[in-house]
Amino acid sequence: MKKLDKTLNILIIGLGLLGGSYAMSLKKQGYKVSAITKDQSTVDYALKNGIVDYATTDVDETLIKNSNLIIFALYPHIFKEWIKQYGNIISEDTVITDVTGVKGTVVYEIQSLLKNGVEFISAHPMAGREASGVENSSDEVFKGANYIVVPTEKNTENAKQLCRDLGYTLGFADISELTPQKHDEMIAFLSQLTHCIAVSLMCASDDPDLEHYTGDSFRDLTRIANINDEMWSELFLANKTALLKEMDSYRTAFNKLYNCIVTNDRDGMREMMKLSTARRKRFEKRI
Amino acid sequence: MKKLDKTLNILIIGLGLLGGSYAMSLKKQGYKVSAITKDQSTVDYALKNGIVDYATTDVDETLIKNSNLIIFALYPHIFKEWIKQYGNIISEDTVITDVTGVKGTVVYEIQSLLKNGVEFISAHPMAGREASGVENSSDEVFKGANYIVVPTEKNTENAKQLCRDLGYTLGFADISELTPQKHDEMIAFLSQLTHCIAVSLMCASDDPDLEHYTGDSFRDLTRIANINDEMWSELFLANKTALLKEMDSYRTAFNKLYNCIVTNDRDGMREMMKLSTARRKRFEKRI
């Protein structure tokens, strides 16, 4: 098994926002980065802007065989399809990793599809933007952000270390490790629920004049209401049980606050606000 | 009635975050700004940092009598108490305005308490920070933000114009006008509901490790979960009817999304996300 160094041939499959940001960061630091992606326009953009050393829309067998580290930045179902169709091309002793936003319904299945000698170590970079596509890529998004390595009992220490090293190299500030199940619970609360909230809020009023009166609180809260519906609807359903549980917990808290207002329970309200303020202080970004 | 010019004696009552930010901006631009505020430490800070020309903790009758424009930046109930106790000191031909976050339970009452010749024109600057106190003041917060003038039938064109001029002078980008009732409905949705959401979300999980895994979506959504419980619990109850109505609309949308997930209704989910995305595009700040 290899270490993360500049002799590695790194291949990124899927040059969207995240794939492109990985490529940009790694290439800038002198790593050898190639990419396979579906649209020729993405290939052209990435080459023109020096985001990768080489890119193609072909499933290029030689390129895949010669890669030592493959990073998949695809939607979950496309990732699985790709491995089913082409996984056998990947050479032994290759490590693959990913950026997929759900793990339980992905990691075990991918690991079971791979041949012996090819190790899949899953990771989730907690960075993104309310935009998609390679042209919105930026290696800045990783700075100060969190990165979660999500191993199973099949993973080796060596691959976990390689995956952590990748996170540090990309510039993440806090690298942690979770099981797929714990990851999915965490993400249901921290990421999926927040997107549910923003979308619901944006759908709750059809007043056409709101933007003249809004302040930053509404703007910040709904930044993610600008959402990739294809990707997020897939992620929500792929993590349904955990997400519904977190939605329930949140509804309970919201209803509690609602009832405080109904009953003029100012102390109850202030208690929730004090708890909220104390907890929120832990979440500032460490840059 | 006067115009907003540099001959006016401007008095700010309450040098908190907003009062301090008004003072800072006006004084920098060459206006004559005095302040009355409750703590000597605030007076000291404001004078030392050149935020005002003069400040005192006394209810200085001469200062008040000589003021042509008085800006109240107090909690609603303190604002009302102040006017009841000291309103008669204010000279005829003085215009007073405010920054109060609710209007229906404030504006009519204040107007009825004032003597003839003193005109109260209410306004709501849609700018703030998740911090309080004069030491967090900044005239930057107004840039690109919205400012709402909230007149009643008692107000004159002249005072409305003075109030709008104040908004432009402070640097607001979009100045609009609403009735107190419409203002309170708007604010219930855009500001109070968002704070309810952030507080509820922060109260919904007691997991002590969340901050290691979070991304920007959760950070942005909960920025306002760091909340002044004294002020916001007062504002919520002062606008109870409108707020509960908006909380209901939001719960309905959230429950609709919840049910889409329960029933694997991916099309229903994507329809909400598309609506959300289209609407969100209107809300970008215009700087």
Side-chain angles (χ1 to χ4, degrees):
Chain A
M1 194 73 66
K2 288 155 195 77
K3 284 185 138 181
L4 185 69
D5 64 39
K6 289 167 187 173
T7 67
L8 291 188
N9 294 317
I10 301 176
L11 173 62
I12 294 175
I13 299 187
L15 268 189
L17 174 75
L18 274 174
S21 300
Y22 269 55
M24 190 181 286
S25 172
L26 292 168
K27 185 164 182 312
K28 268 192 195 171
Q29 296 179 69
Y31 289 88
K32 294 186 284 179
V33 184
S34 299
I36 295 175
T37 196
K38 69 177 191 303
D39 294 324
Q40 186 59 40
S41 59
T42 307
V43 168
D44 294 344
Y45 183 93
L47 288 173
K48 192 179 158 198
N49 290 277
I51 293 172
V52 290
D53 295 303
Y54 175 78
T56 176
T57 59
D58 295 333
V59 181
D60 178 330
E61 294 209 12
T62 313
L63 178 64
I64 296 168
K65 273 191 211 306
N66 289 336
S67 297
N68 313 109
L69 171 63
I70 306 181
I71 300 161
F72 284 87
L74 302 172
Y75 288 5
H77 78 279
I78 302 176
F79 182 20
K80 289 187 209 172
E81 282 309 311
W82 200 102
I83 293 292
K84 276 180 200 158
Q85 230 175 318
Y86 309 115
N88 64 324
I89 304 171
I90 301 171
S91 296
E92 272 188 36
D93 219 25
T94 298
V95 173
I96 75 177
T97 187
D98 70 335
V99 302
T100 317
V102 290
K103 298 304 186 190
T105 53
V106 174
V107 180
Y108 300 106
E109 187 177 343
I110 298 282
Q111 285 187 335
S112 73
L113 290 165
L114 293 167
K115 63 187 174 201
N116 281 338
V118 178
E119 181 165 352
F120 172 41
I121 174 70
S122 189
H124 189 177
M126 298 300 295
R129 297 174 71 185
E130 63 285 17
S132 54
V134 70
E135 63 280 4
N136 288 302
S137 294
S138 160
D139 54 337
E140 291 295 315
V141 296
F142 306 135
K143 302 236 157 70
N146 291 322
Y147 179 89
I148 314 173
V149 179
V150 189
T152 70
E153 63 288 348
K154 283 193 176 176
N155 285 111
T156 61
E157 252 326 301
N158 211 323
K160 285 196 256 182
Q161 190 56 50
L162 177 64
C163 191
R164 280 192 290 266
D165 289 344
L166 178 62
Y168 285 118
T169 301
L170 291 167
F172 286 93
D174 191 335
I175 295 184
S176 54
E177 196 175 305
L178 288 175
T179 63
Q181 188 195 330
K182 189 71 187 153
H183 167 275
D184 287 355
E185 291 168 12
M186 204 62 88
I187 252 46
F189 181 73
L190 287 172
S191 171
Q192 298 188 323
L193 174 56
T194 53
H195 284 77
C196 289
I197 287 172
V199 167
S200 301
L201 179 59
M202 214 67 239
C203 290
S205 171
D206 58 3
D207 189 314
D209 295 319
L210 288 174
E211 65 263 34
H212 299 297
Y213 315 111
T214 189
D216 283 338
S217 59
F218 188 85
R219 281 195 202 93
D220 284 359
L221 202 141
T222 57
R223 180 178 61 82
I224 53 172
N226 183 349
I227 191 172
N228 179 332
D229 58 286
E230 189 182 355
M231 181 171 84
W232 283 94
S233 57
E234 179 172 342
L235 292 174
F236 284 1
L237 292 180
N239 198 26
K240 179 174 169 170
T241 311
L243 176 55
L244 290 175
K245 185 166 164 281
E246 298 302 340
M247 288 177 91
D248 280 329
S249 302
Y250 164 72
R251 281 205 293 205
T252 303
F254 189 84
N255 292 340
K256 187 178 165 189
L257 185 59
Y258 183 98
N259 291 331
C260 286
I261 297 169
V262 169
T263 59
N264 299 315
D265 177 7
R266 196 164 168 193
D267 288 343
M269 241 186 280
R270 293 185 66 176
E271 200 180 300
M272 287 184 75
M273 290 176 183
K274 280 181 178 137
L275 176 63
S276 152
T277 299
R279 283 190 179 157
R280 180 58 180 77
K281 293 193 197 299
R282 298 186 344 230
F283 286 85
E284 290 307 324
K285 214 161 173 172
R286 294 180 290 155
I287 298 190
Chain B
M1 194 74 65
K2 288 153 195 78
K3 283 185 139 182
L4 186 69
D5 63 40
K6 288 166 188 174
T7 67
L8 290 188
N9 294 317
I10 302 176
L11 174 62
I12 294 175
I13 298 186
L15 269 188
L17 175 75
L18 274 175
S21 300
Y22 270 55
M24 191 182 287
S25 172
L26 291 169
K27 183 163 181 318
K28 268 192 195 171
Q29 296 179 68
Y31 289 88
K32 293 187 284 179
V33 183
S34 299
I36 294 175
T37 195
K38 69 177 191 302
D39 294 324
Q40 186 58 41
S41 59
T42 308
V43 168
D44 295 343
Y45 183 93
L47 287 173
K48 191 179 159 197
N49 290 277
I51 294 173
V52 290
D53 295 302
Y54 174 77
T56 177
T57 60
D58 296 333
V59 181
D60 180 332
E61 294 209 11
T62 313
L63 178 63
I64 296 168
K65 273 191 211 304
N66 288 336
S67 297
N68 312 110
L69 171 63
I70 305 181
I71 300 161
F72 285 87
L74 302 172
Y75 288 4
H77 78 280
I78 302 175
F79 182 20
K80 289 187 210 172
E81 282 309 310
W82 201 101
I83 294 292
K84 276 180 202 160
Q85 231 176 318
Y86 307 115
N88 63 324
I89 305 171
I90 301 170
S91 297
E92 273 188 37
D93 219 25
T94 298
V95 172
I96 76 176
T97 187
D98 70 335
V99 302
T100 317
V102 289
K103 298 304 186 188
T105 54
V106 173
V107 181
Y108 300 106
E109 188 177 341
I110 298 282
Q111 285 187 335
S112 73
L113 288 166
L114 292 168
K115 64 186 172 200
N116 281 338
V118 178
E119 180 164 353
F120 173 40
I121 174 72
S122 190
H124 190 177
M126 298 300 296
R129 298 174 70 184
E130 64 285 18
S132 54
V134 69
E135 61 281 5
N136 289 302
S137 293
S138 160
D139 54 336
E140 291 295 315
V141 295
F142 306 134
K143 302 235 158 70
N146 291 322
Y147 179 88
I148 315 174
V149 180
V150 189
T152 70
E153 64 288 348
K154 283 195 176 177
N155 285 113
T156 60
E157 250 327 301
N158 210 324
K160 284 196 256 180
Q161 190 56 49
L162 177 65
C163 191
R164 280 192 290 266
D165 288 345
L166 178 62
Y168 286 118
T169 300
L170 290 165
F172 286 92
D174 191 335
I175 295 185
S176 53
E177 195 175 305
L178 288 175
T179 64
Q181 189 195 332
K182 190 71 186 153
H183 166 276
D184 287 355
E185 289 167 14
M186 204 62 88
I187 253 45
F189 182 73
L190 287 172
S191 170
Q192 299 189 325
L193 175 57
T194 53
H195 284 78
C196 288
I197 287 171
V199 167
S200 300
L201 179 59
M202 214 66 241
C203 290
S205 170
D206 60 2
D207 189 316
D209 296 318
L210 289 173
E211 65 263 34
H212 299 297
Y213 314 112
T214 190
D216 283 337
S217 60
F218 188 85
R219 280 194 204 93
D220 284 358
L221 201 140
T222 59
R223 179 178 63 80
I224 52 172
N226 183 349
I227 190 172
N228 178 333
D229 58 285
E230 191 183 353
M231 182 172 83
W232 284 93
S233 58
E234 180 173 341
L235 292 175
F236 284 1
L237 291 180
N239 199 26
K240 180 173 168 171
T241 312
L243 176 55
L244 290 175
K245 183 165 165 282
E246 298 302 341
M247 289 177 90
D248 280 330
S249 303
Y250 164 72
R251 282 205 293 203
T252 302
F254 189 84
N255 291 341
K256 185 177 167 192
L257 185 58
Y258 184 97
N259 291 331
C260 286
I261 298 169
V262 170
T263 58
N264 298 317
D265 177 7
R266 196 165 169 192
D267 289 342
M269 240 185 283
R270 292 185 67 176
E271 200 181 299
M272 287 184 74
M273 290 176 184
K274 279 180 178 139
L275 176 62
S276 153
T277 299
R279 284 189 178 159
R280 181 57 180 79
K281 292 193 198 299
R282 296 187 345 229
F283 286 86
E284 290 307 324
K285 214 163 173 171
R286 295 181 288 158
I287 298 188

